[in-house]
Amino acid sequence: TAVLTADNDVNSANNTLTQVTTVREGGDLSLALAATPSPVVGGANITYTLTPANAGPNASGNIVVTNNLSPSVSYVSATGTGWTCNQASGVVTCNHAGPHAVGAPIPPITVVGTVTAAEGTVTNTATVAPASGGSTADPDNTNNTASIDTPVTPGADLRVTKTVTSTTPASAVSPIPQPPSGWTVIRPFPTRSVQRGFLTNVPPSAAVASYSS
């Protein structure tokens, strides 16, 4: 309310003005984002942990978290206690029903993806907001979005394949021929042979008949 006074005012009835402002409930939402491991090896999984919070001054209603995976990260899963999550084209959307009391912990969301990049950096961005139609507004949107960069180191998915090429059962007393250069054979059975850092177990009932590299 504002009041104006002046000398010789011939009409004081219009000297007062009152403005009424309606105050809505507000809950200041924020989001923390973490990534493990960091750095991550190309081809491996990366885990993002998204932790929302409400600083008040009122309890928040239903909330939604939107997570944008890097184009170089393939979606695997998204989970969290009380959260309902869906994914489409690398965008993960998770909803959690309120109310969320001021300062009370809100369950985190765990998003897992597979890094498809061979090197460089993958960037993940996430945002928390009141769900559409919610009764509690967010008075400060500057702390609703979090982003994290994770360096990618080169990786290779190494595999070993063992193949049986003979249909004739091997004799347990068959002699073991001299291995070629680079192999080491250790007795007694089960025989273990090592080549270039790979270790393979030969069952006790089988004899080593040949080697290849």
Side-chain angles (χ1 to χ4, degrees):
T1 300
V3 179
L4 175 65
T5 60
D7 293 339
N8 302 319
D9 189 345
V10 296
N11 182 12
S12 61
N14 60 358
N15 289 20
T16 301
L17 179 64
T18 299
Q19 177 68 48
V20 177
T21 302
T22 301
V23 179
R24 294 179 54 191
E25 291 187 351
D28 183 14
L29 299 174
S30 61
L31 185 68
L33 177 60
T36 56
S38 183
V40 62
V41 177
N45 281 358
I46 186 168
T47 299
Y48 295 108
T49 303
L50 294 70
T51 307
N54 175 29
N58 301 105
S60 65
N62 300 345
I63 60 175
V64 58
V65 171
T66 304
N67 185 91
N68 293 277
L69 292 169
S70 165
S72 298
V73 174
S74 177
Y75 172 80
V76 174
S77 64
T79 57
T81 302
W83 290 93
T84 301
C85 296
N86 298 286
Q87 184 272 154
S89 302
V91 178
V92 181
T93 304
C94 298
N95 289 272
H96 197 280
H100 304 97
V102 178
I106 300 175
I109 304 168
T110 301
V111 178
V112 179
T114 301
V115 177
T116 59
E119 57 184 357
T121 301
V122 290
T123 300
N124 191 77
T125 303
T127 301
V128 63
S132 178
S135 59
T136 305
D138 190 338
D140 180 9
N141 295 324
T142 62
N143 55 359
N144 288 31
T145 299
S147 182
I148 191 167
D149 296 328
T150 304
V152 179
T153 58
D157 185 9
L158 301 178
R159 301 176 185 228
V160 176
T161 302
K162 293 194 289 187
T163 304
V164 177
T165 57
S166 174
T167 59
T168 303
S171 170
V173 295
S174 298
I176 299 178
Q178 290 296 318
S181 176
W183 287 79
T184 301
V185 178
I186 306 173
R187 286 176 177 269
F189 289 112
T191 299
R192 290 189 169 191
S193 55
V194 179
Q195 181 201 32
R196 298 176 186 171
F198 292 103
L199 179 66
T200 182
N201 294 326
V202 180
S205 60
V208 179
S210 64
Y211 307 83
S212 63
S213 60

